[in-house]
């Protein structure tokens, strides 16, 4: 059975600092302790080992041959312990790589991240945008936020929140254009399209027993944040997730001219690799996301 009778780690750290600087004063400064504390640690270590590690030479100190050999091994051992500690912290804290939808990232996630960082200063969040279904076995992503249904092979998912779609436009459009008080009025307006959800208007209108006039379709954009800007500029009517445009409505950039909304089948999902919640950084971020929508 290997000998596990080890000297005090604090005493070893003190010795390594003294040996590096060949000075009790500089070692004490490095360790943020008193010179007397360093001296006592050195006495403890030498008594524990039963050998002399340093000796005084004039007004200075030097390492004995045994001390020089012990310094090389002890310094390397402390470096390995420090590396192991960093690796362990990386599992619990460290970098958390998050991939989220573009508009949700811009308008919902980023404004809230300051709270998460304040509560978890040891977790460094790296945010990227994406809309694809992440392959967690191949991609360096810890958590993904996507829109869809809970059918994601190779991932664990949880519902972040459902989506409620509403009709929005610029105030000037109501002042200058045809009436816009009920879904049937949409046939007389230019309807801004979302290229990744091409059936959105058709699904919305069919929920109220209406068909979509092809002539009503207007400009098409890839992301909701583009549609929001186009709508606020008076370029047409937008069908948007209500939670994304709260600030725009509050500021008067957009108005919601009719109360009729639609809740699609899909929802916003939190996804990660199976078992990833064992890592504290993933677990804390997921729990925080869910509290943000309560």
């Amino acid at each position: 059975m290997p000998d596990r009778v080890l000297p005090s780690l604090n005493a070893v750290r003190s010795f390594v600092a003294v040996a590096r600087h060949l000075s009790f004063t500089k070692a004490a400064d490095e360790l943020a302790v008193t010179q007397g504390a360093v001296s006592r640690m050195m006495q403890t270590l030498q008594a524990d080992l039963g050998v002399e590690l340093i000796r005084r030479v004039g007004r200075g100190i030097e390492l004995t041959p045994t001390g020089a050999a012990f310094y090389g091994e002890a310094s390397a051992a402390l470096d390995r312990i420090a590396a192991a500690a960093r690796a362990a912290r990386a599992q619990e804290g460290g970098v958390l790589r998050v991939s989220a939808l573009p508009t949700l990232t811009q308008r919902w996630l980023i404004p809230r991240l300051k709270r998460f960082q304040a509560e978890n200063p040891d977790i460094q969040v790296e945010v990227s945008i994406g809309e694809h279904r992440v392959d967690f076995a191949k991609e360096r992503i810890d958590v993904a936020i996507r829109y869809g249904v809970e059918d994601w092979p190779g991932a664990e998912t949880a519902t972040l929140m459902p989506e409620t779609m509403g009709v929005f436009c610029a105030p000037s459009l109501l002042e200058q254009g045809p009436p816009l008080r009920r879904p049937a009025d949409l046939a007389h307006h230019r309807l801004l399209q979302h290229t990744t959800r091409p059936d959105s208007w058709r699904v919305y209108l069919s929920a109220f027993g209406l068909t979509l006039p092809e002539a009503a379709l207007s400009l098409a954009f890839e992301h909701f944040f583009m549609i929001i800007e186009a709508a606020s500029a008076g370029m047409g009517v937008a069908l948007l997730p209500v939670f994304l445009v709260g600030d725009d409505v509050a500021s008067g950039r957009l108005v919601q001219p009719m109360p009729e909304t639609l809740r699609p089948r899909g929802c916003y999902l939190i996804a990660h690799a199976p078992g990833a919640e064992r890592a504290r950084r993933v677990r804390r971020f997921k729990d925080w996301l869910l509290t943000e929508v309560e």
Side-chain angles (χ1 to χ4, degrees):
M1 182 176 179
D3 184 3
R4 292 295 187 185
V5 180
L6 300 175
S8 161
L9 182 59
N10 280 336
V12 173
R13 289 180 65 238
S14 296
F15 165 72
V16 168
V18 169
R20 182 185 305 114
H21 298 291
L22 291 179
S23 167
F24 282 87
T25 301
K26 292 181 180 179
D29 289 342
E30 177 184 317
L31 300 171
V33 297
T34 65
Q35 184 175 334
V38 172
S39 179
R40 288 191 294 275
M41 283 293 175
M42 287 301 307
Q43 293 171 9
T44 297
L45 180 61
Q46 292 182 119
D48 190 9
L49 297 178
V51 296
E52 185 181 42
L53 300 174
I54 61 172
R55 59 186 169 215
R56 294 197 174 276
V57 180
R59 301 181 64 179
I61 60 173
E62 68 177 12
L63 297 176
T64 66
T66 301
F70 185 73
Y71 168 66
E73 295 291 338
S75 179
L78 288 178
D79 288 343
R80 289 194 295 272
I81 292 171
R86 286 193 297 271
R89 291 189 184 105
Q91 290 297 316
E92 293 302 294
V95 176
L96 177 75
R97 295 176 178 87
V98 178
S99 172
L101 299 165
T103 307
L104 182 140
T105 298
Q106 179 192 67
R107 290 180 158 254
W108 188 86
L109 181 59
I110 290 176
R112 289 167 167 78
L113 271 179
K114 184 178 180 180
R115 289 197 287 272
F116 178 81
Q117 203 68 74
E119 297 168 7
N120 302 274
D122 62 321
I123 300 175
Q124 179 184 334
V125 181
E126 290 186 0
V127 180
S128 61
I129 59 173
E131 297 181 283
H132 68 288
R133 182 169 288 189
V134 175
D135 184 345
F136 292 100
K138 297 180 180 179
E139 299 180 58
R140 295 185 66 202
I141 294 173
D142 296 305
V143 177
I145 304 175
R146 294 291 190 266
Y147 178 82
V149 295
E150 296 183 6
D151 177 20
W152 195 323
E156 292 182 13
T157 60
T159 299
L160 176 61
M161 57 182 161
E163 182 179 68
T164 300
M165 302 294 287
V167 174
F168 297 88
C169 66
S172 59
L173 191 146
L174 296 182
E175 297 167 1
Q176 302 168 6
L180 186 57
R181 302 186 186 92
R182 53 196 178 92
D185 295 337
L186 290 166
H188 307 293
H189 287 267
R190 293 172 297 171
L191 306 183
L192 302 173
Q193 302 176 73
H194 193 313
T195 57
T196 60
R197 298 196 197 179
D199 292 330
S200 293
W201 278 116
R202 186 171 287 103
V203 172
Y204 176 83
L205 288 167
S206 66
F208 304 102
L210 302 169
T211 58
L212 175 66
E214 292 297 330
L217 293 177
S218 182
L219 297 168
F221 300 91
E222 183 179 5
H223 301 298
F224 278 130
F225 70 83
M226 299 175 178
I227 299 174
I228 292 169
E229 294 306 310
S232 66
M235 298 168 67
V237 181
L239 184 62
L240 298 165
V242 173
F243 81 98
L244 289 178
V245 293
D247 290 343
D248 299 276
V249 173
S251 68
R253 292 183 75 222
L254 292 176
V255 294
Q256 188 173 4
M258 61 186 70
E260 287 84 359
T261 59
L262 176 68
R263 179 165 288 186
R265 176 170 171 260
C267 62
Y268 291 92
L269 301 172
I270 305 168
H272 54 73
E277 282 184 293
R278 288 194 293 269
R280 174 178 167 272
R281 65 186 187 278
V282 173
R283 185 172 62 254
R284 290 298 297 269
F285 188 72
K286 182 178 179 180
D287 290 345
W288 173 78
L289 285 173
L290 293 172
T291 61
E292 285 295 309
V293 297
E294 288 179 352

